[in-house]
Amino acid sequence: MKHFPVYLSVSGQRILLAGGGEAALAKLRLLLKTEAQIEVFTTFPDAKIESWADESKLILHRRDIEAEDASGAVLIYAADEDTNKDARTAQIARAADVLINVVDNLADSAFITPAIVDRDPVTIAIGTEGAAPVLARALKAELEERLSPRLGLLARVGKAFRSAADALPMGRRRRDFWSDYYLGAGPRIAEQGEAQLALETLLAQHLQTENRDGHVAFVGAGPGDPELLTLKARKALDEADVVIYDRLVSADILELARREAVMVNVGKEGFGPSTPQSVIDALIVEHAQSGAQVVRLKSGDSTVFGRLDEEIEACDAAGVSWNIVPGITAASASVAAIGQSLTRRGRNGSVRFLTGHDMEGFADHDWRQLARSGEVAAIYMGKKAARFIQGRLLMHGARPDTPVTVIENVSRKNQRVLNTTLHSLPADLADANFPGPALTLLGLSPRIASATQTNPLEQELA
């Protein structure tokens, strides 16, 4: 992020603009929506700029900007559309320590003006750091179409009622009230026009409501791509007071949690440093008993090798309510990544989900059955157990040329695929040096799809 988005207080402040043509008009149409004092410097003002000056919407100086003009300004726009004039304006701004925007010149600008969706006092700024202005405009148009014109009214009514809502204690109960208003009763209130009475009734209902009991949602975060997160998982993250997450949960998904949520890392690493399960159980129960809405966020699907039963039992023993939000497990994402299916008529009618190691070390399975031709298995946590797995399978008659595929960081930007055989698995895996989480598929090789359809937006961004 090269440009940090902020909302600058400009009420009553001076914003200067040098220029009088089309570029100046484009900026002024946006700036005139603010409560700032707008001053324009140009010897050739457009007729529209002159009419705005006649209507006292801005101050027009029929001359070039000078150094003394910059004193006390908060922003300056260089919009003369002339390289030398814009460079002079930028020099004046920098000398006065005032932020400068040079129209259509990202390199010489100290700030950029985003595309803005205006539902005053609700504003949405869309920026692409100058990389894709067409995309920013497309997003703005889509949001303009989706957002109700009454959204601003809804926010203004809520703002006027904030002091009354302070009767609710800070935290969850007050947040629940505003959530009920903005996402439930608020839109109806705006339609009916009885805002004050309806808000007072809604507040009285919340004042009579006791603190909501704590609750735990066991949420599957999927393999890492935030677009593979379910809608129900997104909603749970939006509502969470506390997020207790595993090491393998991607940073992109953690970013989706509510900013005020307490984030607790209880990462575990096979054959490495780990948070004891008893400590994790205690943390889940402790936060829920304090009244928090807890999301226990697990990579993949929480019902697959996630020690979910132990955490549920801890909740049950403490009388804490819970629910499970399933996620996409790594096996499903991995076969999708290599264009395969976990099952195929005539090849295999079943698939095994195995773990490469258990609490005591390398996990033992029915290797004889697994060594049969045509068997397919998805092996979780199998990297460090590769030589052990190879030895057991070969010992029980598996073919050395049995296909094996290892997918690292499946669904993420840094995904890598290793296509090998059972005979070469340990050596090839060592050469590949996969530091990230990886899933091993026994009996499957990558298959290139005969036809690939690409999203037009993805083509544009590529």
Side-chain angles (χ1 to χ4, degrees), residues 379-449:
I379 305 174
Y380 293 70
M381 299 168 284
K383 282 190 308 182
K384 294 181 180 179
R387 190 168 295 280
F388 172 81
I389 293 167
Q390 178 206 49
R392 288 296 185 273
L393 288 170
L394 291 176
M395 181 189 305
H396 288 89
R399 292 170 56 95
D401 62 353
T402 299
V404 177
T405 303
V406 184
I407 303 95
E408 180 198 29
N409 296 318
V410 63
S411 83
R412 308 185 191 195
K413 295 176 183 178
N414 57 345
Q415 172 183 296
R416 290 195 294 168
V417 177
L418 170 65
N419 184 28
T420 183
T421 63
L422 186 59
H423 172 266
S424 303
L425 173 61
D428 287 351
L429 193 54
D431 290 342
N433 186 26
F434 282 179
L439 184 130
T440 303
L441 291 170
L442 178 70
L444 293 177
S445 293
R447 177 175 60 199
I448 300 174

